[in-house]
């Protein structure tokens, strides 16, 4: 499956969407959903220097766009993302260079978590090491039944420390430990059972499954989506009492939004809400 279809097809892209076929990352837009497509299938969409730069620039450019309901991270070819480019890594050789690389990649993952609307990974084929970290850093993920996931640095003597941060915050600690210490692959069903992904689809039904999820998000108020994305990210780092205090403040402020009044009135009147912010 070389190209995402409903959410990211070139024919569905808006005329002013910047589409560069040879770019490391392609961008498509459809009804409030932007899809960023990793476009280096020959290298299994490894997070090379150019890929990291392209993803970072794309996320920065999108962060202030007010019309977004969600962002999809997809990929071309037989793999979603094979992690870091090992040849580039070996060519560095200096500890400061390695530190800079991993810090740079970590910033990218944090940018996904801090992105103002939900981010969904569309996964086919392999997602390994930092590619698995990329999936874990998204808010949600859908995958083909043939997709496989691993953090396999341990197999070459390298513990996947930066992927461990995202992975251990997404799935249960013992499941994360098993993946990190064994380096073994898990399939899509196990990834769903462990909480790494949300939905599994047959290979030819991946886009239809994704589109069902995206249509659900399109129907929601942008105020609620953006409030929820920011709230979920911040409360994770707080102790329980502080998390509830923070959540109470956020919810009280959220109640003052016009969309909330409209939503409650629509519910009482048994009609569909007409969001001010769509």
């Amino acid at each position: 499956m070389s190209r995402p279809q409903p959410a990211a097809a070139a024919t569905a892209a808006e005329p002013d969407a910047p589409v560069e076929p040879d770019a490391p990352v392609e961008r498509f837009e459809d009804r409030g959903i932007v899809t960023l497509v990793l476009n280096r299938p020959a290298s299994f969409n490894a997070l090379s220097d150019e890929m990291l730069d392209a993803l970072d620039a794309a996320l920065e450019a999108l962060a202030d766009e007010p019309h977004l309901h969600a962002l999809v991270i997809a990929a071309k070819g037989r793999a979603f993302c094979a992690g870091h480019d090992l040849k580039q890594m070996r060519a560095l050789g200096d500890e400061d260079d390695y530190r800079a690389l991993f810090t740079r990649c970590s910033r990218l993952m944090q940018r996904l978590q801090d992105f103002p609307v939900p981010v969904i990974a569309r996964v086919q084929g392999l997602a390994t090491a930092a590619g698995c970290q990329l999936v874990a850093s998204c808010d949600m993920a859908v995958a083909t039944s043939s997709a496989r996931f691993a953090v396999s640095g341990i197999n070459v003597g390298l513990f996947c420390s930066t992927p461990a941060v995202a992975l251990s915050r997404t799935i249960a600690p013992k499941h994360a430990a098993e993946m990190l210490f064994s380096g073994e692959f898990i399939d899509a069903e196990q990834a769903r059972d462990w909480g790494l992904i949300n939905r599994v689809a047959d290979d030819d039904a991946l886009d239809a499954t994704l589109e069902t999820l995206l249509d659900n998000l399109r129907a929601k108020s942008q105020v609620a989506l953006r409030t929820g994305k920011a709230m979920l990210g911040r409360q994770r780092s707080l102790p329980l009492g502080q998390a509830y205090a923070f959540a109470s403040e956020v919810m009280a402020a959220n109640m003052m939004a016009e969309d909330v009044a409209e939503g409650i009135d629509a519910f009482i009147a048994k009609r569909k809400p007409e969001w001010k912010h769509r």
Side-chain angles (χ1 to χ4, degrees), residues 47-49 51-60 63 71 73 84 96-116 119 130 133-134 137-138 161-163 165-166 229:
L47 295 178
S48 62
D49 287 340
M51 184 68 81
L52 287 172
D53 284 345
L55 268 176
D56 195 63
L59 291 173
E60 183 176 11
L71 173 70
I73 306 295
H84 287 290
D96 287 340
D97 290 338
Y98 288 129
R99 184 177 295 109
L101 170 63
F102 296 130
T103 298
R104 183 176 167 205
C105 184
S106 296
R107 276 199 306 267
L108 174 66
M109 302 300 171
Q110 290 178 77
R111 194 186 285 278
L112 286 170
Q113 293 182 334
D114 294 340
F115 200 75
V119 182
Q133 179 186 6
L134 183 59
S137 297
C138 293
S161 297
T162 47
V165 174
K229 178 62 188 279

Side-chain angles (χ1 to χ4, degrees), residues 60-163:
E60 183 176 11
L62 285 168
D64 293 329
E65 292 198 11
H67 65 285
L68 290 183
H69 275 72
L71 173 70
V72 175
I73 306 295
K76 288 185 179 180
R78 293 181 297 153
F80 175 72
C81 179
H84 287 290
D85 186 314
L86 295 181
K87 290 183 179 179
Q88 282 189 355
M89 286 176 64
R90 282 291 290 138
L92 294 176
D94 181 87
E95 186 173 345
D96 287 340
D97 290 338
Y98 288 129
R99 184 177 295 109
L101 170 63
F102 296 130
T103 298
R104 183 176 167 205
C105 184
S106 296
R107 276 199 306 267
L108 174 66
M109 302 300 171
Q110 290 178 77
R111 194 186 285 278
L112 286 170
Q113 293 182 334
D114 294 340
F115 200 75
V117 296
V119 182
I120 304 169
R122 175 199 181 276
V123 185
Q124 83 289 347
L126 304 179
T128 56
C132 190
Q133 179 186 6
L134 183 59
V135 176
S137 297
C138 293
D139 299 295
M140 292 173 275
V142 298
T144 62
S145 55
S146 60
R148 296 195 299 160
F149 305 82
V151 275
S152 47
I154 195 83
N155 295 331
V156 297
L158 177 68
F159 187 77
C160 283
S161 297
T162 47

Side-chain angles (χ1 to χ4, degrees), residues 265-276:
D265 289 347
F267 179 82
I268 293 171
K270 295 182 172 58
R271 60 173 174 81
K272 288 186 178 181
E274 297 181 6
W275 307 122
K276 178 179 176 61

